[in-house]
Amino acid sequence: MFQTLIVDDERIEREGLKKLIQRFQLPLRVSLATNGQEALEQLRARPADLLLTDVRMPFMDGLELSKRALAEHPHLKVVLVSGFSEFEYARTALQLGISDYLLKPVQVSEFLSTMNKVIAGLRASASQKEEQLLRDQYMREHTLMMLVNGMPLESLRQRFQKAEDTLFLDSYRSVFMLEFENLCFGKSDAGERLVAYLEREIGLPFDFIYLGDSSGMILFRGAPASGGFAAIAERLYGWMASVFGYIFCIAVSGSIGQAQELVRAFGELEALLENRFFSQSRVLYANKQTDFGSLPTELEEELLEQLQTMVAGRRFPQAKECLNRLRASFPSHRPFSHIYVKSIFSKILAEVLKDLPDVSAQRSYQLVTRIYKAGSIAELADLLLPPLEALEERESLSAGSGSRVSELVKQYVYAHYQEDLSLKSLASAVFLSPQYLSSVFKKETGGGLAKFIKDYRMKKAQELLRKTNKKIHTVCAEVGYSNESYFCKSFRECFGVSPEKYRLQSTGKAGEEDAG
């Protein structure tokens, strides 16, 4: 529906035009005004697509109204309605940019002909505007993804022919990063519902970017009138928690004023989310001191990571050395992040016990219980050392065998890519913590786990499209997606064409269709 304003000082003329629009069910939503001054005020409060105005009116005539309205709203379509005595007067006004005119008394056939012509023009303009908006949105998303993936800002700007093409990067005032423990965006319509909520409830212009099946980014252009972005973040968290029920975090940037600050904010938010497992809060702020509890020092963090890597890679002498260094590193009088450290030890114990089949389930349960009751690192080391030495006796490590984590994960993905592959479920499958699995996979392969899963699913989708005649929604489901629109968007991002187009190209039918 196009918003239309009818202006005439005579009530019978206004209502007559309105009834004609209603009678022929034209796609026009009508408002009325009695003179040019009133009409101009209405247009400022509520812009219209079409202005139907009489020429002779008190206070401000139709020509003056048209001239001032077009100056403020260049895309407005204007149709003048004039009596015979003003016919030449109205016709000369076309040079002002007025679209058309009608002669009083208005003939139904003439009215319909003029309205259909104007409506066709409005539809063409709306279509062009929508296409331009889509192009602009794609350009913004593509540019932001390159920045998030590490492209330097200056290198990015050099890719554009015009400097103004990247000016939009200076318009952002705050960034929210969302991180889910489930594959939220790949398995449901969560992304679409989130965007609809932001449009409906927040009232700020924004861009939403998919960073992967379990993460996304909201970039706000403009600042809220009251409450600040912290209030928006708390409202958003409450709504998402009640609607989706997923476990997730929101990281909120500080104030942003230009592109360089935007790039810096990306790094700050990623660092916040990497430490999210240590915080009691699910909404984290880059410009506030977040309570992450009593964390291990940098050295102790490194030793814990090394311990997991050594055990996963069956490098037992080095694992025992890490245990001894941890024992010495943590003074017994200093508190530490018990839950974090004990969770790491329990995962390491699970990794060891799964290869010791002679250890009973009851004994395994007792060891895990003792880990969570331990009061010091020394006690944890004493609990882990005996099963570690028992496994060392069973295995001889071949030189250069390297870590097994990434290969184990890959094999699991190959076998279960059709299922809900959350970071939590994958971590459980290989007996590692989610944060460690994400970190070590990236170190071993050079790429992120979410990207690996997506790339493999896209590869399987290619095979199904080439080798079968299955419908797109069936292919979507068979490669682990429940949301067909998100699947098609991901496929296009990977290969530059839609699944349908890819199928035509791979079977040689695209050329036939073009020729036909």
Side-chain angles (χ1 to χ4, degrees):
M1 298 287 283
F2 297 104
Q3 186 64 37
T4 302
L5 179 60
I6 298 175
V7 190
D8 200 305
D9 58 329
E10 295 187 20
R11 179 176 177 276
I12 191 170
E13 299 289 347
R14 295 193 304 270
E15 294 294 340
L17 291 175
K18 181 179 178 180
K19 286 180 179 179
L20 279 175
I21 289 171
Q22 294 173 338
R23 175 184 169 187
F24 292 101
Q25 298 182 343
L26 299 179
L28 303 174
R29 187 184 299 109
V30 176
S31 299
L32 303 175
T34 60
N35 59 65
Q37 186 60 50
E38 180 187 336
L40 199 60
E41 291 172 1
Q42 283 198 39
L43 287 172
R44 287 169 178 164
R46 184 182 185 183
D49 302 296
L50 171 61
L51 174 65
L52 270 168
T53 179
D54 188 20
V55 173
R56 296 293 187 187
M57 295 183 296
F59 304 110
M60 182 188 298
D61 67 21
L63 290 183
E64 180 65 18
L65 167 62
S66 301
K67 182 178 178 180
R68 294 175 64 175
L70 285 168
E72 296 181 17
H73 308 279
H75 301 294
L76 179 68
K77 301 289 185 183
V78 180
V79 175
L80 288 177
V81 184
S82 66
F84 183 78
S85 61
E86 302 134 4
F87 179 73
E88 290 299 327
Y89 179 53
R91 189 163 59 182
T92 59
L94 293 177
Q95 62 186 349
L96 298 175
I98 292 171
S99 303
D100 216 321
Y101 60 89
L102 290 167
L103 188 63
K104 289 184 179 181
V106 176
Q107 301 297 313
V108 173
S109 60
E110 195 67 28
F111 176 79
L112 287 176
S113 176
T114 300
M115 287 298 98
N116 285 331
K117 183 169 62 174
V118 171
I119 289 168
L122 286 170
R123 283 174 171 158
S125 298
S127 178
Q128 291 173 1
K129 184 177 180 181
E130 184 177 353
E131 288 176 6
Q132 185 60 48
L133 287 173
L134 289 173
R135 285 195 295 269
D136 291 345
Q137 180 181 351
Y138 176 79
M139 183 272 289
R140 290 198 304 270
E141 291 180 3
H142 183 65
T143 304
L144 290 166
M145 283 299 295
M146 287 192 287
L147 278 182
V148 171
N149 289 328
M151 177 173 285
L153 181 59
E154 289 309 312
S155 300
L156 180 64
R157 281 177 167 153
Q158 290 172 7
R159 285 173 164 248
F160 291 87
Q161 295 179 351
K162 302 176 184 177
E164 55 265 30
D165 288 341
T166 58
L167 287 180
F168 76 93
L169 294 172
D170 295 317
S171 68
Y172 297 112
R173 296 295 171 261
S174 185
V175 181
F176 292 5
M177 278 193 180
L178 314 177
E179 186 79 24
F180 291 82
E181 290 191 17
N182 307 77
L183 298 184
C184 175
F185 297 128
K187 299 293 289 184
S188 70
D189 62 350
E192 290 87 343
R193 296 173 71 184
L194 171 59
V195 168
Y197 170 82
L198 293 171
E199 291 174 341
R200 183 179 68 252
E201 301 292 338
I202 303 304
L204 284 177
F206 68 93
D207 288 311
F208 176 72
I209 310 295
Y210 290 101
L211 298 179
D213 288 347
S214 59
S215 57
M217 179 170 65
I218 307 167
L219 302 98
F220 290 100
R221 302 191 301 273
S226 61
F229 286 106
I232 290 177
E234 299 294 341
R235 283 176 59 195
L236 178 61
Y237 181 85
W239 177 78
M240 292 180 69
S242 65
V243 171
F244 299 132
Y246 295 134
I247 298 174
F248 67 98
C249 281
I250 302 177
V252 182
S253 76
S255 178
I256 296 171
Q258 55 185 347
Q260 287 288 2
E261 295 172 355
L262 176 66
V263 175
R264 185 167 60 250
F266 292 159
E268 292 173 350
L269 296 180
E270 287 176 354
L272 276 177
L273 290 173
E274 285 179 4
N275 289 318
R276 69 189 184 279
F277 299 96
F278 311 137
S279 174
Q280 297 300 312
S281 174
R282 290 290 177 178
V283 183
L284 312 174
Y285 298 94
N287 59 348
K288 294 182 182 180
Q289 182 63 40
T290 301
D291 180 15
F292 287 121
S294 179
L295 304 180
T297 66
E298 185 175 341
L299 171 62
E300 293 155 356
E301 185 80 58
E302 182 180 347
L303 289 172
L304 286 166
E305 185 174 318
Q306 288 179 4
L307 177 60
Q308 293 178 94
T309 302
M310 296 306 127
V311 173
R314 298 307 198 252
R315 297 197 283 271
F316 299 114
Q318 294 92 329
K320 289 189 290 184
E321 182 183 347
C322 283
L323 272 179
N324 290 329
R325 292 178 65 190
L326 278 167
R327 191 196 299 266
S329 174
F330 277 93
S332 59
H333 65 277
R334 184 173 68 78
F336 60 92
S337 179
H338 292 272
I339 294 177
Y340 168 61
V341 175
K342 289 175 181 179
S343 69
I344 289 179
F345 271 79
S346 67
K347 293 294 191 300
I348 293 173
L349 180 64
E351 174 76 11
V352 172
L353 293 180
K354 71 185 180 68
D355 290 326
L356 291 173
D358 52 330
V359 177
S360 67
Q362 183 179 5
R363 175 59 177 159
S364 298
Y365 175 77
Q366 290 172 346
L367 287 171
V368 172
T369 301
R370 289 178 63 188
I371 280 180
Y372 281 97
K373 289 182 178 180
S376 68
I377 286 289
E379 285 185 56
L380 292 172
D382 290 340
L383 286 169
L384 186 59
L385 192 57
L388 196 62
E389 290 178 335
L391 185 56
E392 183 182 15
E393 293 176 3
R394 288 173 174 265
E395 297 187 4
S396 59
L397 182 65
S398 54
S401 63
S403 174
R404 302 167 58 239
V405 174
S406 62
E407 285 306 315
L408 283 173
V409 171
K410 286 180 180 180
Q411 293 302 321
Y412 189 87
V413 170
Y414 298 154
H416 301 274
Y417 69 91
Q418 296 173 310
E419 302 171 11
D420 184 1
L421 294 179
S422 66
L423 178 61
K424 185 177 180 180
S425 66
L426 282 169
S428 176
V430 294
F431 299 97
L432 295 174
S433 65
Q435 68 272 31
Y436 176 71
L437 171 60
S438 178
S439 174
V440 77
F441 188 90
K442 189 169 186 178
K443 286 181 180 179
E444 291 181 8
T445 66
L449 181 53
K451 185 177 186 304
F452 172 77
I453 295 171
K454 178 180 177 180
D455 288 347
Y456 186 72
R457 283 173 165 165
M458 290 297 106
K459 178 183 175 183
K460 301 303 290 185
Q462 278 185 304
E463 292 178 6
L464 289 170
L465 290 168
R466 282 198 315 268
K467 298 177 180 179
T468 74
N469 292 320
K470 293 180 178 179
K471 295 184 181 297
I472 301 301
H473 68 83
T474 303
V475 173
C476 165
E478 290 192 8
V479 297
Y481 289 86
S482 61
N483 186 328
E484 185 176 346
S485 63
Y486 180 70
F487 164 72
C488 292
K489 182 177 184 294
S490 298
F491 193 93
R492 184 184 291 275
E493 287 175 353
C494 286
F495 305 115
V497 295
S498 66
E500 295 90 341
K501 186 73 172 177
Y502 176 83
R503 170 171 277 165
L504 290 172
Q505 291 176 345
S506 63
T507 57
K509 294 181 179 179
E512 296 174 15
E513 289 201 355
D514 292 340

